[in-house]
Amino acid sequence: MQAMRWRPYSILTTLGMLLLWGASAWGSELQAGIHGMAWASSAGDHEHLIRVREDGLVSYYIHRNMRYRAANQPVPGVIYGFFRDRLFAVYIKLRSPNQGYYLEKRFSAEYGAAKVKMNKTGNRTIYRWKKDDIKIKLKIEENDGDLKLGIYYIPFAAQLNQAFREDAPADLYRYAPAKDQSTMSAPLL
């Protein structure tokens, strides 16, 4: 009889531990890399990538046959940044405020409260998280509805100047993803 009284608590404790383990597994997954690519891996290791621009020591790549989604909506573009041929950043253009909200909640749950910066007019908000070797930045432009997410591998990103780290060139988003039937779909994170 005594053991039955504590059984609901042991079930709740087990469920809680599973939830914590699942959240930390997601975070450690991002620490290892993104979309099946390890941070600092060579662009040549990823045959599915197509180079769309080179700018000095930085090259930008896309995966034309993959369409990512967040908050049950497609993501308009994902650009991979390689510095000296090593993966250091992923730049993601988001479609809607709902996607921004979803990702802000997800990163806050994993990494804690974001450092939030707003400009004086209040039309731009930037959320930042940092954990170990990963830096995440979510930028929301209220005036034009532009939402961008950047995920950076700090050991390489720190070697670049601020202009390269903050944003991929805006015109690159038009290349990815392709709109034909060969395009696959996958969760963004």
Side-chain angles (χ1 to χ4, degrees):
M1 181 78 166
Q2 190 75 342
M4 290 297 276
R5 190 171 93 187
W6 292 105
R7 186 174 209 156
Y9 297 110
S10 66
I11 292 172
L12 288 174
T13 301
T14 302
L15 286 173
M17 298 207 30
L18 285 173
L19 285 172
L20 285 173
W21 179 80
S24 66
W26 176 77
S28 64
E29 178 182 315
L30 193 55
Q31 294 293 321
I34 190 161
H35 302 152
M37 297 182 287
W39 295 115
S41 63
S42 171
D45 294 342
H46 310 291
E47 295 176 5
H48 60 281
L49 295 180
I50 299 167
R51 186 173 63 213
V52 291
R53 179 180 284 173
E54 194 165 339
D55 191 1
L57 298 175
V58 179
S59 299
Y60 299 98
Y61 290 78
I62 60 168
H63 185 335
R64 293 234 347 123
N65 295 322
M66 181 61 72
R67 182 178 306 265
Y68 293 101
R69 61 186 184 280
N72 295 320
Q73 299 173 344
V75 173
V78 177
I79 309 293
Y80 301 97
F82 286 79
F83 172 62
R84 294 185 174 160
D85 193 44
R86 300 293 175 203
L87 179 63
F88 82 95
V90 178
Y91 305 100
I92 302 161
K93 183 171 179 64
L94 302 174
R95 181 176 305 276
S96 72
N98 190 35
Q99 288 177 321
Y101 176 80
Y102 165 80
L103 290 168
E104 187 270 329
K105 293 300 177 199
R106 185 163 180 180
F107 291 133
S108 291
E110 172 60 27
Y111 297 110
K115 292 181 181 177
V116 181
K117 180 179 173 184
M118 296 179 78
N119 64 353
K120 291 181 181 179
T121 58
N123 59 356
R124 179 188 305 149
T125 306
I126 301 172
Y127 298 87
R128 288 191 171 116
W129 297 269
K130 184 178 173 188
K131 183 175 181 182
D132 300 330
D133 287 339
I134 302 300
K135 178 181 170 183
I136 302 166
K137 183 174 115 178
L138 176 62
K139 186 191 300 185
I140 301 170
E141 299 280 347
E142 300 291 336
N143 291 347
D144 58 10
D146 196 30
L147 292 102
K148 295 178 185 170
L149 174 68
I151 303 173
Y152 310 95
Y153 181 61
I154 295 170
F156 282 40
Q159 297 175 33
L160 295 169
N161 66 34
Q162 195 69 18
F164 282 124
R165 285 196 294 150
E166 295 303 322
D167 290 310
D171 65 327
L172 293 182
Y173 291 109
R174 65 185 162 98
Y175 293 110
K179 301 199 183 327
D180 59 30
Q181 296 296 337
S182 68
T183 305
M184 300 175 288
S185 180
L188 182 64
L189 300 170

